[in-house]
Amino acid sequence: MIQVEICTPSRRSAEAAKAGGAQRIELCRELACGGLTPSDEDIDYCVRTLGLRTHVLVRPRAGNFYYDRAEMAEIMDTVERCGRLGAAAVVVGFLDYEGRIDTGLTREVVAAAGKMEVTFHRAFDEARQEPMEALEAIAMCGCTRLLTSGQKATALEGAEVIGRMVGATPVKILAGSGVTPANVAELIARTGVGEVHGSCKAVAADGTMQTDAALVRQMIENTRNRK
């Protein structure tokens, strides 16, 4: 069965994801800038009140993925809190000053995560590194999965690269960026991927972009009833 992960930037979106049948979310805030670390209160709500398998984005600021030691101290503290709050996984990504996967920082987080899974996020898609080489670096660090669009703007555009990565290492490949109920079946068919990631968002009555329960339900249905 295909695993569907819904990216939720608020409690309201997490509630909609659950109402649509999702069991797993990536929780963040400020999705307009690519997502930032959510509050402890929101993590606790999604884990304990909603009962969702909660993967927490750990990103202290917008911008590049080069972090100094002070920023890494903040990241490590957040990872520790995620474990205490019951998160199932943390979602992180680190590049060095040459734009390659920063294996040193990634290993630090994998070690600190303990029993939590570690997803390396779409910092991978900005790496100045051949994708299979970058994937191998992530695998050597002990990451559980990679969220990627195949180093393209959308997962469908990167389908050929994503397909090559599936099964190449123990790292699970989570296809994301531009994934919708309308194209998810095609994406799965073209890549063989076992996990997909989408926000299923729509304009809410108050004018904000929020996860829509009906779109989540359709996304899940389309992963199950694909030709």
Side-chain angles (χ1 to χ4, degrees), residues 7-17 25-31 38 42 45-46 50 52 208-211:
C7 180
T8 60
S10 66
R11 291 191 188 191
R12 181 176 171 185
S13 283
E15 291 166 350
I25 62 170
E26 181 196 69
L27 181 65
C28 64
R29 62 181 176 86
E30 303 295 339
L31 196 55
D42 284 357
Y45 180 77
C46 291
L50 297 183
L52 289 166
T208 62
M209 296 295 291
Q210 300 286 343
T211 299

Side-chain angles (χ1 to χ4, degrees), residues 197-219:
H197 169 103
S199 59
C200 292
K201 59 183 181 292
V203 180
D206 63 0
T208 62
M209 296 295 291
Q210 300 286 343
T211 299
D212 183 274
L215 292 177
V216 172
R217 193 174 300 111
Q218 191 64 58
M219 174 89 86

Side-chain angles (χ1 to χ4, degrees), residues 13-225:
S13 283
E15 291 166 350
K18 181 172 182 178
Q23 297 181 333
R24 179 175 126 196
I25 62 170
E26 181 196 69
L27 181 65
C28 64
R29 62 181 176 86
E30 303 295 339
L31 196 55
C33 70
L36 298 175
T37 305
S39 69
D40 288 6
E41 292 76 15
D42 284 357
I43 298 169
D44 183 74
Y45 180 77
C46 291
V47 171
R48 304 190 191 284
T49 302
L50 297 183
L52 289 166
R53 181 177 178 85
T54 303
H55 295 197
V56 179
L57 177 64
V58 180
R59 186 182 180 210
R61 57 161 173 80
N64 63 41
F65 302 104
Y66 318 132
Y67 297 104
D68 62 26
R69 294 316 304 181
E71 290 171 326
M72 278 306 298
E74 180 181 349
I75 287 168
M76 297 295 278
D77 180 66
T78 301
V79 169
E80 189 274 333
R81 294 201 316 275
C82 287
R84 286 193 284 105
L85 290 165
V90 290
V91 183
V92 297
F94 309 105
L95 301 178
D96 64 23
Y97 286 102
E98 295 181 347
R100 300 171 66 85
I101 304 300
D102 192 321
T103 55
L105 297 185
T106 305
R107 285 193 177 100
E108 285 186 43
V109 169
V110 170
K115 295 181 180 179
M116 290 185 293
E117 295 182 346
V118 176
T119 297
F120 196 100
H121 61 48
R122 292 188 61 226
F124 174 91
D125 295 320
E126 297 187 19
R128 294 194 292 272
Q129 195 170 1
E130 195 279 326
M132 299 307 290
E133 178 187 2
L135 174 63
E136 184 60 34
I138 289 167
M140 290 177 64
C141 292
C143 292
T144 309
R145 69 176 49 78
L146 168 64
L147 170 61
T148 182
S149 59
Q151 296 190 338
K152 300 292 185 180
T154 70
L156 270 180
E157 292 176 72
E160 189 274 330
V161 170
I162 293 172
R164 283 197 285 126
M165 290 192 289
V166 171
T169 72
V171 176
K172 299 175 183 178
I173 304 300
L174 172 63
S177 184
V179 181
T180 69
N183 65 26
V184 68
E186 178 186 356
L187 176 65
I188 294 166
R190 289 177 58 185
T191 62
V193 75
E195 301 189 3
V196 293
H197 169 103
S199 59
C200 292
K201 59 183 181 292
V203 180
D206 63 0
T208 62
M209 296 295 291
Q210 300 286 343
T211 299
D212 183 274
L215 292 177
V216 172
R217 193 174 300 111
Q218 191 64 58
M219 174 89 86
I220 294 171
E221 182 178 335
N222 289 355
T223 66
R224 294 173 178 170
N225 299 325

